[in-house]
Amino acid sequence: MRALFRRSLLSKLIVSYLAVITLTLIVMGIAAMLNAPDALDRHMSGMGGSQHMQSVSGDMMGDLRGNLLATLIEVLLIGGAIAAAVTLAVSVILSRRIVQPMRAIAAASQGVAAGHYRQRVPVTSSDELGDMAQAFNHMAERLQETERRRIELIGNVAHELRTPLASLKLQLEGVIDGILTSDASALLDMQRELSRLQRLVVDLEDLSKIEAGQAVLDLRLVQVGEVIQAAASRLRPQYDDKGVSLLVTLPVELPEVRADANRIMQVLMNVLGNALHYTPAGGTVHLRSWVEQQEVCVEVSDTGSGIGAEHLPHIFERFYRVDKSRTRVSGGSGIGLTISRQLVEAHGGRIWASSAGVGKGSTVTFVLPLANQRNGG
Ligand code: ADP
């Protein structure tokens, strides 16, 4: 019984209601008993003065007083018993209304803890209990979304690894069985697949660190212009090899931003690398930067394959590639822009893409707040 009382909020609430009514009745009883004799005497002495009561003897008055007191006690006892019964009934109903939502949340929490992320509880009131149910549902929704992304990520990674691994295995088996010669070109093919796998693993590692908030940014005052020039110089030989022109337009002076220069370089290499990748020979990539509304804007526009409007909102998602049928040899892993977005956002900036349509080139723009903005002015 004690254990039940200790563990059940319902019984605690009912007992507390009963304790309040019992206390009220006791106080009422004591007050009535203390006041009743004096009150009776006062009222009866008033009656004794009347003509009608003058014939009533002193004994009869005593009797009457005793009976009146007994009646009062009886009425108090019956009234008290009825009040206690009604209180008990009402307290059971009220307590259930309080306890039931809490039990539902407790049961649903256990479900979520066991991995049933679809669990929700009904929101039946707009008080604190309703707020609690709403907060629980919100938490369950977020957990469900995180779980969905986790499963999706595992599926994507497995999918990304399957093709290069299968291709490597086939080539190796061919060489072992003597069907393929282990000449330089076969070995080069294998090396290319391995490099791709290695890059994918490095990208995944990077992405998981950034998403887990473990990638520490080495924030310093940085001249964006210098980082842009350095990125362009690094990629220029590849642009020249492919026959794509790389134009750089910078203002004479660009203000400083508080940033991790290596990470900004990583974003630029990815965006410029994509522009080169998706622009055929003879095309042009234009890298520009300017200051607008307390932000440094960096824009990379190309005259390449362009991006269909239906794909634009998705290209920053993990593993999203516009051309899904593209062979692994010609394509990337589809997480470069995801990493870029995470990095730009970690700097307090934004990144987006636009395109006039397929075959009409694309533009990727990112903005970073000026150093004095991030410092709070
Ligand atoms: P990937 O490594 O596959 O290039 P990204 O995350 O860098 O992955 O880009 C995602 C997708 O966005 C690419 O697969 C490509 O379809 C599209 N994309 C990115 N940049 C361009 C561009 N400059 N021109 C055309 N498509 C692009």
Side-chain angles (χ1 to χ4, degrees):
M1 187 64 190
R2 273 178 70 123
L4 175 76
F5 178 72
R6 225 180 292 133
R7 282 178 42 213
S8 158
L9 180 61
L10 183 68
S11 56
K12 275 183 191 163
L13 283 171
I14 294 172
V15 168
S16 66
Y17 286 133
L18 282 178
V20 170
I21 186 75
T22 311
L23 213 67
T24 311
L25 289 174
I26 290 171
V27 172
M28 242 176 76
I30 293 172
M33 288 301 107
L34 289 177
N35 286 317
D38 281 353
L40 272 176
D41 287 346
R42 220 174 331 112
H43 288 292
M44 286 175 75
S45 67
M47 285 163 68
S50 78
Q51 208 180 25
H52 183 69
M53 293 299 285
Q54 268 166 13
S55 55
V56 179
S57 71
D59 283 353
M60 282 182 76
M61 282 294 270
D63 257 8
L64 187 62
R65 190 173 177 277
N67 280 328
L68 279 174
L69 268 177
T71 309
L72 181 66
I73 292 169
E74 198 178 309
V75 165
L76 273 179
L77 284 176
I78 295 171
I82 294 171
V86 171
T87 307
L88 182 66
V90 172
S91 69
V92 168
I93 296 167
L94 286 181
S95 306
R96 281 222 174 110
R97 289 190 65 158
I98 295 173
V99 171
Q100 248 159 14
M102 296 175 97
R103 282 192 179 151
I105 292 174
S109 311
Q110 278 173 356
V112 169
H116 307 300
Y117 298 105
R118 285 169 195 271
Q119 294 267 0
R120 297 289 182 276
V121 289
V123 182
T124 49
S125 59
S126 51
D127 53 14
E128 285 88 345
L129 283 172
D131 290 349
M132 197 159 91
Q134 242 166 2
F136 174 86
N137 287 345
H138 183 60
M139 182 196 73
E141 241 165 64
R142 296 295 298 268
L143 284 173
Q144 190 180 356
E145 177 60 17
T146 308
E147 179 64 1
R148 190 189 64 75
R149 282 170 171 271
R150 192 181 67 84
I151 292 169
E152 191 185 86
L153 178 66
I154 294 172
N156 282 334
V157 171
H159 180 80
E160 291 300 317
L161 293 178
R162 194 184 309 125
T163 318
L165 282 176
S167 150
L168 267 174
K169 187 166 174 261
L170 265 180
Q171 290 175 48
L172 269 174
E173 280 171 358
V175 172
I176 290 166
D177 296 344
I179 303 167
L180 292 177
T181 48
S182 56
D183 62 9
S185 90
L187 289 176
L188 270 176
D189 274 356
M190 285 189 242
Q191 194 198 34
R192 214 173 294 132
E193 289 295 354
L194 277 172
S195 303
R196 188 172 305 285
L197 277 173
Q198 204 174 22
R199 213 175 57 217
L200 175 64
V201 172
V202 169
D203 280 356
L204 278 171
E205 229 170 19
D206 209 15
L207 182 63
S208 87
K209 269 197 196 145
I210 296 169
E211 289 196 337
Q214 286 169 359
V216 183
L217 294 182
D218 180 14
L219 295 177
R220 288 157 198 253
L221 287 179
V222 172
Q223 293 284 347
V224 196
E226 286 174 12
V227 185
I228 292 174
Q229 292 286 16
S233 310
R234 251 199 232 180
L235 283 178
R236 198 171 291 284
Q238 292 178 38
Y239 272 75
D240 292 344
D241 278 356
K242 190 172 173 182
V244 175
S245 325
L246 176 58
L247 305 177
V248 182
T249 309
L250 295 178
V252 181
E253 210 176 303
L254 268 177
E256 287 177 323
V257 293
R258 183 167 287 280
D260 184 330
N262 288 331
R263 293 305 205 169
I264 298 303
M265 172 67 95
Q266 189 179 349
V267 174
L268 277 166
M269 295 299 278
N270 176 246
V271 176
L272 280 174
N274 277 347
L276 171 63
H277 193 98
Y278 297 102
T279 304
T284 305
V285 172
H286 199 158
L287 170 57
R288 298 191 309 136
S289 184
W290 68 95
V291 176
E292 198 178 294
Q293 291 179 352
Q294 303 301 314
E295 289 174 323
V296 172
C297 309
V298 182
E299 181 190 271
V300 176
S301 56
D302 62 58
T303 56
S305 61
I307 304 167
E310 70 277 24
H311 297 293
L312 271 177
H314 303 291
I315 59 169
F316 292 92
E317 290 170 11
R318 290 194 207 116
F319 298 110
Y320 193 89
R321 289 193 305 259
V322 171
D323 182 0
K324 293 171 183 65
S325 65
R326 207 173 61 201
T327 62
R328 309 297 310 136
V329 177
S330 66
S333 59
I335 48 177
L337 282 181
T338 316
I339 294 177
S340 297
R341 186 182 62 182
Q342 299 273 1
L343 287 175
V344 169
E345 287 179 358
H347 280 86
R350 306 181 309 284
I351 185 167
W352 66 92
S354 59
S355 170
V358 178
K360 294 184 178 153
S362 331
T363 302
V364 175
T365 314
F366 66 90
V367 296
L368 298 169
L370 291 183
N372 56 0
Q373 288 303 298
R374 273 178 76 82
N375 288 339

